[in-house]
Amino acid sequence: MQVAFSAWSAQMLPRLVFACMAAMATTSSLSFAQAPSPNGVKTLNPPGAIKAEGTWSLGARAGDFVFVAGMQGVDPATNALVQDPYARIRQAFLNIRLIAQSEGASLQDCVRLTVYVSDLHRFAPMVDQAQAELWSKPPYPPRTMIEVQRLFNDDIVEIDSVFYAPVKR
């Protein structure tokens, strides 16, 4: 009996351990990404959005508010920065809009924008132009624009935003 068990365990035990570990990893990663916190904060990762890599989320819903992470002009199809400066700034706004819309908010529901640019004199007019185009008309949300020495990936813009999107009851 011991010989039969040893032969079985030598062949099957590694496979069984691997299958169990894979199932646990999949289950824990799914529950981590989708389970709300004890207070109901839900992280966001809508279809069609850029890929969040690292220790951050694209956004979070906390009650009636949606907080969107600082977005760059990354093309969701390639997960790479858009090359043209104006198109990159516009793409950053589109990335924000996609996450807000996934929670029932529009750009008009934005209650706060913080825009970080690497060159205020060069890029502020492009931010204004992209925002005017995408909002189509006032009112515009409160906004702070800050020139910073350096952004992630030596980018030119990153936009942080907050939206009001009442939970449908």
Side-chain angles (χ1 to χ4, degrees), residues 68-84:
V68 180
M71 285 290 135
Q72 296 176 296
V74 174
D75 180 350
T78 63
N79 226 40
L81 289 171
V82 173
Q83 290 304 306
D84 175 70

Side-chain angles (χ1 to χ4, degrees), residues 13-142:
L13 193 56
R15 291 180 187 168
L16 184 60
V17 168
F18 177 76
C20 289
M21 301 232 351
M24 287 182 352
T26 302
T27 304
S28 66
S29 67
L30 288 174
S31 64
F32 178 75
Q34 296 176 359
S37 76
N39 289 322
V41 176
K42 176 179 99 173
T43 58
L44 306 175
N45 187 20
I50 65 168
K51 307 282 184 277
E53 298 174 357
T55 55
W56 63 285
S57 297
L58 298 177
R61 174 182 274 282
D64 289 342
F65 290 91
V66 175
F67 299 85
V68 180
M71 285 290 135
Q72 296 176 296
V74 174
D75 180 350
T78 63
N79 226 40
L81 289 171
V82 173
Q83 290 304 306
D84 175 70
Y86 174 74
R88 184 182 300 181
I89 291 166
R90 188 175 187 284
Q91 184 63 55
F93 279 114
L94 293 174
N95 291 340
I96 288 166
R97 183 176 72 181
L98 186 139
I99 295 163
Q101 286 177 338
S102 76
E103 290 298 307
S106 70
L107 289 175
Q108 286 69 31
D109 295 312
C110 185
V111 296
R112 185 79 181 127
L113 281 173
T114 306
V115 181
Y116 303 92
V117 292
S118 61
D119 184 333
L120 194 59
H121 295 291
R122 181 174 175 205
F123 299 122
M126 292 182 204
V127 169
D128 288 343
Q129 181 183 350
Q131 191 175 350
E133 177 189 330
L134 293 169
W135 263 257
S136 74
K137 62 181 172 47
Y140 302 111

